[in-house]
Amino acid sequence: DEVTPVGAPLAPQPAVSGTGIAINATKTGIRLADANEFAQLGDSANRDKDFALGGDIDLTNTGTAWNGPTGYIGHFYGNGYTIKGLVLNKTSGDTGLFATVGNNAVIENFTLEVSTQANSEGNFPARTGSAHFGGVVGYTSSGASILLKNIKVKGRLDYGPMDINGFILAGSLIGETNNGSNATIENCVSELDITLAEGVGSGALTLGFGGLIGKAYGTLIIKNSYYTGDITVAHNADKNLCAGGIIGVSNNCTLTIENCYSSGLVSATNNSITGRKVFAGGLVGWIESRPDLVVVKNSAALGARAVAATTTTYFQSNRIAAIYETVFRTGFGNNYALKNMLTGNDPTAQPQDDAGDADTSKGLGKTLAEFKQQTTWINAAPAGLGFDSAIWDFDGLTKSGADFYWPRLK
């Protein structure tokens, strides 16, 4: 449905009052006024109800560990407001603005400011178990069909130097989409940095970090979205370490990425001598099993670096996706990448300045000057990426210096 925004912010009302805010022409949401009311979205009596913000809300003073709503299956409409002060500081489990969401959940139209937090000594706590960290959603339930739309995420997920006993899957939108879920991401933006300093841990599991999604299972479609932060992750444990500008790991996922880009740096480092794998891709990190299910088209990797650093030979990096060129090329179509992007195994990373190919995981190499031409973005394939000028704003391409920016969503 087309969303019909309300006008001026309305006076806060208790969620239990039933006072409504228009979500669209046929739907009204219960007004949420503060953090306490937001937390009630996980209550059994509220999980299937529609809610809308009547103003900005601040989650700063919600206790030592945020426990987001679980199993939400309603329609949450942010009404263009900002949710600030979200601190994800749980040491294990599912965590995010919404810890988990279920079937038919729709979450849209707001800005989220999120961070992690050290303890009083300035150290980051050991992760005592496996965790899904998502700025908006930690984990999607099995069988869930969900939509995230018109969301901007800002801030920093800083995991410090920590012991990790289990896996961590982290992304600014979703930590992991479940194997039985069907998720759609449209018109979403992340300006969030993700960092992990060197540490140790047990369990030969995966650490996956993505600009939008940590790990993709099930079915996932991402359209008209972008990531502008940096991903800098390092660990010394016996674990696979994966990083990608849009998705960290795609595992047996029916995945489509279309009209998206990432402009941040991607760097993954593991100095373990046990031979675990390290992956870094400008758009997608590790494509684990069934890469023939992955479609990446009409998208761009603009970051200056996608490096998988390790003391062993078990690494893979590439401008579009960290996948070997000899297999499963059919899912890549009309993708561009910065021609002199640094790839390889740091510290011997070299510019991947060859022309490449638009239909492989290298992408067609384009210079910065070429990327600053609007025709590169709006012309139809194969002359351009086919970005819709009704959705995208290209004014920043003509600017320079600190004022320069890549295409933005209108």
Side-chain angles (χ1 to χ4, degrees):
D1 292 330
E2 288 296 317
V3 173
T4 303
V6 299
L10 302 177
Q13 298 285 340
V16 294
S17 73
T19 304
I21 296 177
I23 292 179
N24 56 44
T26 61
K27 188 179 292 187
T28 299
I30 301 171
R31 180 186 287 105
L32 291 176
D34 56 35
N36 291 330
E37 291 181 357
F38 187 94
Q40 295 177 29
L41 271 63
D43 295 344
S44 58
N46 294 324
R47 285 176 183 158
D48 62 348
K49 290 184 171 61
D50 301 327
F51 291 88
L53 293 184
D56 296 344
I57 61 173
D58 191 344
L59 304 181
T60 302
N61 298 314
T62 55
T64 57
W66 169 254
N67 291 297
T70 59
Y72 183 67
I73 58 174
H75 188 158
F76 175 77
Y77 180 52
N79 210 15
Y81 290 110
T82 296
I83 301 172
K84 59 184 178 180
L86 175 62
V87 178
L88 301 180
N89 51 8
K90 290 177 65 177
T91 59
S92 63
D94 305 322
T95 184
L97 179 67
F98 293 83
T100 62
V101 295
N103 194 33
N104 295 323
V106 177
I107 302 171
E108 63 175 340
N109 285 70
F110 59 92
T111 295
L112 175 66
E113 298 176 1
V114 61
S115 66
T116 51
Q117 180 172 291
N119 60 24
S120 58
E121 289 77 33
N123 300 315
F124 289 81
R127 301 294 157 179
T128 56
S130 295
H132 299 110
F133 283 86
V136 181
V137 175
Y139 194 48
T140 62
S141 300
S142 179
S145 179
I146 70 165
L147 171 65
L148 270 60
K149 185 177 181 180
N150 298 338
I151 298 171
K152 174 183 279 190
V153 181
K154 303 168 64 175
R156 186 179 186 87
L157 296 181
D158 187 346
Y159 297 103
M162 64 171 63
D163 297 344
I164 302 174
N165 299 317
F167 62 74
I168 284 183
L169 302 170
S172 56
L173 293 178
I174 301 176
E176 180 181 2
T177 57
N178 186 283
N179 190 26
S181 65
N182 188 325
T184 299
I185 311 294
E186 293 183 5
N187 295 24
C188 289
V189 178
S190 174
E191 300 173 352
L192 178 146
D193 294 324
I194 300 175
T195 61
L196 169 69
E198 291 184 10
V200 296
S202 62
L205 298 170
T206 295
L207 307 178
F209 303 89
L212 300 185
I213 311 290
K215 185 175 183 178
Y217 250 139
T219 299
L220 174 62
I221 297 172
I222 306 177
K223 298 170 57 179
N224 295 317
S225 299
Y226 63 91
Y227 174 69
T228 64
D230 293 332
I231 301 174
T232 308
V233 292
H235 208 61
N236 291 336
D238 182 25
K239 299 177 184 293
N240 294 318
L241 181 62
C242 315
I246 299 294
I247 295 175
V249 184
S250 173
N251 186 348
N252 203 25
C253 179
T254 302
L255 171 66
T256 299
I257 298 175
E258 183 175 6
N259 289 135
C260 296
Y261 73 82
S262 172
S263 64
L265 306 179
V266 179
S267 178
T269 303
N270 190 330
N271 291 319
S272 170
I273 62 174
T274 55
R276 300 302 287 182
K277 297 177 181 179
V278 185
F279 297 86
L283 294 182
V284 183
W286 189 18
I287 300 179
E288 178 188 8
S289 72
R290 297 303 305 274
D292 55 311
L293 299 178
V294 176
V295 174
V296 182
K297 61 183 180 180
N298 302 323
S299 296
L302 308 168
R305 187 180 182 91
V307 170
T310 175
T311 56
T312 74
T313 60
Y314 298 97
F315 74 94
Q316 183 67 23
S317 67
N318 227 326
R319 296 190 297 209
I320 298 296
I323 179 174
Y324 292 98
E325 283 295 307
T326 56
V327 295
F328 301 118
R329 299 184 182 191
T330 56
F332 297 92
N334 199 51
N335 300 304
Y336 298 166
L338 190 64
K339 190 174 182 181
N340 61 349
M341 183 187 298
L342 289 174
T343 62
N345 185 11
D346 201 23
T348 61
Q350 298 294 323
Q352 196 173 104
D353 58 1
D354 59 279
D357 190 315
D359 298 332
T360 72
S361 55
K362 286 185 177 182
L364 181 63
K366 295 282 187 179
T367 65
L368 179 63
E370 288 174 312
F371 272 121
K372 292 188 71 171
Q373 296 174 8
Q374 185 171 315
T375 53
T376 298
W377 297 90
I378 66 173
N379 284 357
L385 294 171
F387 278 41
D388 188 345
S389 59
I391 297 174
W392 294 89
D393 175 6
F394 304 99
D395 287 350
L397 299 177
T398 62
K399 300 180 183 295
S400 61
D403 295 326
F404 164 73
Y405 53 83
W406 294 114
R408 294 177 175 176
L409 289 165
K410 290 183 176 179

